[in-house]
Structures are given as structure tokens and as C-alpha cells.
Amino acid sequence: MILIAGAGPTGLTLAIDLARRGVPHRLVDPGHPSGSRGKGLQPRTLEVLDDLGVIDAVGAAGAPYPPLRAYAGTDVVWEGRMHEPVPPTPAVPYPNVLMVPQWRTERILRDRLAALGGRVDTAGLASFTQDDDGVTAVLTDGTTVRAAYLVGCDGGRSTVRKTLGVPFLGETRDEERMLIGDVQTPDLDRDHWHMWADLETRTPGVGLCPLPGTSDFQFTAPLAPGDDPDLTLATYQRHLAAGSGRDDIRLTGLGWASVYRVNIRMAERFRTGRVLLAGDAAHVHSPAGGQGLNTGVQDAYNLGWKLAAVLSGASPSLLDTYEEERLPVAAGVLGISTALYQKAAEGQADAYKRGEETQQLLLAYPDSPLSSGPSGGTRAPNAPLADGTTLFDAFRGPHFALLAFNTPAPACGPSVRTVQITANPEAEAAYDITGPTLVLVRPDGYRAHTGDPASTTTYLTRLNLR
């Protein structure tokens, strides 16, 4: 059994992945308001959500990011887009970031978990110990749980990480705080992200972003040093008036409310014995670039199939590849979000722009011991197949996929789905195939191995996939 502490997007993703594999697990969380918080779902995360069976629900709940509109008082002084929309292609069916309030993403994931027979237990993790055979945890309701592994998905203040004594390296910028919350107003249109800023320094000020599928706006405003506000509607109204110079925008409701401090930190390691860290428990980001939630979801997506394989008899050393793959990715993504935040803090003219570096489609594991052959460890793109389906259709589910380009496939075990591809120029171009070739795609959508039948058979044998 796997014990998962924390039912945010990371913990829910991991629980869904384990549930669809039939892996016993327990997901515990005492409950916490998430509000709109991490509202941007990047293209690579949308591909993960497609595989998990929730892309339609997410698409219905979300919308493209609205254009930015900057004001000086009541005057519109600038308009622009954070993301330039691009059309989908066969290889990249979800090329644009989607705005979905985090609470809606979590609700969709909870519903999917429930459909798979899972649930969230409303208890927290109080303490745990581990030995060579497993983890013994005590929950806040007094229950004792015995698990083969514990995964800490319990946020930046992680009980799991603190109990392990894993250093959380980086910085907390207490002088850079932000009032944030979900508010309502009838006095602004919902077609723009409304912002007021210091035009001379280009320093961000008050912002009101309409949240799709709701009547809410996400409110943000910088806080002065020493300002420790009460989280009341009157406080938000006061900061809006001070930051915009306007008294004609009425706030009529306040839901989730918080003070955000800029944290830029990463755990020194992601695994200690039978305990692993994922999501904000392993790395916390500035909000710039919308990387935090997305990186956590993909931590879980990387880890789920490996935990399942180890419980089914694979070598426990497979779990070492979780840290080997995800720690460098988290460090790189942390650098991207920090650089974007710094550009905004410095008032650089293009600080609002977001490019392919934030989409997470280019993330790869080329140095992983699981990566073999040309393009090993890179994302496996989509492509149309002759029967009218796509490769993403073939990938969807908990299995490996063996793509046999213009050559017979070797015999494989039940955890591998073989896809025969003959005379398909579009698929061959997507995978840079020039002759008879076999490509093994991991359950998390990355290329594990590319080669001929002999080398592929050797690789399949190595991973016990025959």
C-alpha cells in the first residue's frame, strides 16, 4: 500500500495514477482552501490530464488567458497578451496554456479518483517512522497506518520533509509579499485581466483577473513592509482604491483570501529510503510563469508508474530514477520562474511575455539511466494513425507503448501495448524515423528507447517487459 499525504493537484494525480493501476493506496488530507491559487495549466500538463481521462472536464472548466489591460486611473494605457495563442497541430494538440482556478482542477481530479473507486480521507499526517520494510504513520485522527512507501505531497510547509530533516534550500523574500484572494465585482468586464502599475518603473500593482466559469476575479496587490492586513473585504477594497486611484470599482464578495510570500526553494533530495517528496513539498516557486502546480503534477506522473512497478516486483532501484529525473527538471523550472519574476520586479519591458520555455513540452530526461538510443528521455509527440485514431489514444492508460515503425514488433508482456505503424510519413516525421525502427514509450509519455529489434529486446528484458 502507498500512503499519500496531501490532496492537492500533486497528491490527487498520484492517487489517480495508482488507482487506475489497481495499486492499493490511501490519500489523506485534513482539508484546506485552495482558491484560485495555481490557475494556469501548461500544455504538457494538459497532455497528462488527457491521459488521466479528465481533459474534457478541464477544457469545459477553463478558458484561454484573457488579454492584459493596463490603466492609469480610468485611462487604458496599454494592452497585450501574456501568451500568443497558436493553433493545435497533430504533434501538439494542446499548445496553449489554459486558465482553470485551482479549486476547480482539484474538484475534477477528485471526481475522477472517485470514479476509479478512490477517495480522500479527511485526516492529516501527524508523524511517521520508517524501517527496511515500510513506513508506519500516525494520522491526526489517531489511526496508525502501515505502508510500503510514503509520498509527501503536503505543500511547502511539508510535515513529511520536515520530519525527514531534508534541507529546503533557497530563500524566502519576506519583504516581497502580496495580498491575494478571490473577489467579486460588477464594475469590470470579464474579457480582460485588469492591472494598475507604476508606469515609470513598470512595477506591477493591483490586478484583477477574471476566473473562467465563476463570478470571481483573482485579486493581487503588493504589500508594503510591515503591512500585516486583516483578510476582510474592506481590506481588499482599501488596497484596490489605493493601488488604482479609483473609487468606482466595488468589491461585493470575498472567498479565498491569503497573503503570499515569495518562496524560491527546493529540497536537497526527493527520496529518503521509503519516503519520497513531490510537488510543493519538494520545490516552491514564484508565481511567475505558472510553473509550480504543473511541475508537481508531473512529479506525480513520473512517480506513479515506478511505484506500481516496484510493488509488482521491479527492483526498488527504479525509484532512484525519480530523483535522478525530476530534481534537475525542478531546478531548471525553478530557474525559469525566478528569472521571470525578477524581470517583473525590475520592470523590464517584456516581463509579461511567456514563451515555450514555460510550456514544459521541452522537458526531457536525456541523462536518465532509463533513456536509451536517439532522443531517449524526450517527450513522445502525438501523430495520426491510419485507423483514424492517434498515438495519444494508444498511449492513454497505464501501459508502455511499443511503436513498431515499418518492422515487426518483438513479443512483449501484458504491460506493453504494441502499435504497428506502416508507411505513415506524419508519424515518422514526428519521431524522426528514416527506416525500420522500434520506439518504446514510457507510461508517462517519454521515449525510453529507440532502436532495432535486437537492442529493443535487450531493453525490454532489462525492464522485465517481456
Side-chain angles (χ1 to χ4, degrees):
M1 194 265 283
I2 306 296
L3 177 61
I4 306 167
T10 302
L12 287 165
T13 297
L14 180 57
I16 290 168
D17 200 22
L18 295 175
R20 67 177 181 165
R21 298 171 188 280
V23 176
H25 64 278
R26 186 167 182 181
L27 174 59
V28 298
D29 192 308
H32 54 86
S34 57
S36 57
R37 204 179 297 267
K39 62 184 182 297
L41 299 179
Q42 299 293 344
R44 180 58 183 153
T45 302
L46 296 175
E47 295 180 354
V48 174
L49 298 175
D50 180 327
D51 181 42
L52 297 180
V54 297
I55 191 61
D56 290 341
V58 167
Y65 268 57
L68 305 171
R69 174 174 280 181
Y71 301 83
T74 60
D75 296 331
V76 177
V77 295
W78 177 85
E79 289 191 2
R81 284 191 175 274
M82 185 179 292
H83 313 88
E84 292 297 334
V86 297
T89 66
V92 184
Y94 312 111
N96 300 304
V97 64
L98 192 68
M99 182 184 290
V100 185
Q102 182 171 323
W103 67 265
R104 297 199 76 182
T105 299
E106 291 180 1
R107 180 175 294 177
I108 290 167
L109 292 174
R110 282 181 179 240
D111 288 347
R112 177 60 175 149
L113 179 61
L116 292 167
R119 64 188 177 92
V120 180
D121 288 347
T122 54
L125 178 69
S127 63
F128 69 89
T129 58
Q130 65 171 311
D131 52 50
D132 291 343
D133 300 318
V135 177
T136 301
V138 178
L139 305 183
T140 53
D141 63 3
T143 305
T144 298
V145 178
R146 181 67 175 172
Y149 292 92
L150 165 65
V151 184
C153 306
D154 50 343
R157 297 184 176 91
S158 171
T159 297
V160 175
R161 188 191 65 247
K162 291 177 180 178
T163 301
L164 290 173
V166 174
F168 207 31
L169 307 175
E171 60 177 326
T172 298
R173 300 181 181 179
D174 286 319
E175 73 282 3
E176 299 179 26
R177 298 177 305 136
M178 180 185 300
L179 184 65
I180 187 169
D182 296 341
V183 303
Q184 297 177 357
T185 177
D187 299 323
L188 292 172
D189 71 72
R190 299 188 62 82
D191 299 323
H192 299 87
W193 186 336
H194 306 275
M195 306 183 75
W196 288 263
D198 185 323
L199 297 180
E200 290 187 5
T201 64
R202 301 179 188 269
T203 303
V206 175
L208 285 157
C209 178
L211 298 168
T214 76
S215 59
D216 292 341
F217 288 78
Q218 187 184 75
F219 179 104
T220 54
L223 291 172
D227 187 357
D228 188 18
D230 294 326
L231 299 179
T232 64
L233 183 62
T235 296
Y236 285 76
Q237 185 74 66
R238 184 173 67 253
H239 278 271
L240 173 59
S244 67
R246 295 173 60 170
D247 59 8
D248 61 326
I249 304 174
R250 298 162 296 153
L251 301 183
T252 58
L254 172 65
W256 169 69
S258 183
V259 171
Y260 172 80
R261 290 168 173 80
V262 174
N263 277 292
I264 304 168
R265 295 182 177 275
M266 190 171 77
E268 187 175 69
R269 58 186 182 276
F270 288 6
R271 181 188 181 193
T272 301
R274 289 180 171 266
V275 183
L276 303 103
L277 302 173
D280 285 358
H283 43 77
V284 291
H285 307 245
S286 87
Q291 300 295 289
L293 179 154
N294 295 274
T295 304
V297 165
Q298 291 170 64
D299 287 346
Y301 195 51
N302 180 287
L303 181 57
W305 71 269
K306 296 174 181 178
L307 284 169
V310 169
L311 290 186
S312 295
S315 170
S317 64
L318 179 62
L319 293 178
D320 293 336
T321 67
Y322 169 66
E323 178 178 302
E324 291 169 343
E325 293 180 347
R326 293 305 298 171
L327 193 150
V329 164
V333 170
L334 197 64
I336 290 169
S337 59
T338 303
L340 289 170
Y341 177 82
Q342 198 62 37
K343 288 178 73 171
E346 294 170 358
Q348 296 185 30
D350 63 345
Y352 68 96
K353 284 285 190 181
R354 302 291 182 265
E356 65 178 8
E357 75 279 0
T358 62
Q359 297 178 347
Q360 303 200 350
L361 294 171
L362 301 179
L363 298 181
Y365 311 126
D367 299 323
S368 170
L370 299 180
S371 300
S372 171
S375 302
T378 61
R379 166 186 170 270
N382 198 20
L385 297 175
D387 62 0
T389 64
T390 69
L391 283 178
F392 275 14
D393 293 328
F395 296 164
R396 195 174 296 115
H399 51 269
F400 286 79
L402 182 61
L403 312 183
F405 288 92
N406 306 306
T407 187
C412 300
S415 61
V416 181
R417 176 181 296 174
T418 298
V419 183
Q420 198 72 46
I421 304 173
T422 304
N424 186 328
E426 197 159 7
E428 292 168 10
Y431 283 79
D432 195 24
I433 299 298
T434 58
T437 307
L438 295 164
V439 179
L440 182 67
V441 178
R442 296 166 22 160
D444 57 353
Y446 288 87
R447 284 179 264 197
H449 172 80
T450 302
D452 58 21
S455 65
T456 302
T457 298
T458 299
Y459 188 93
L460 291 167
T461 301
R462 174 187 154 202
L463 263 64
N464 296 318
L465 298 174
R466 299 199 71 209

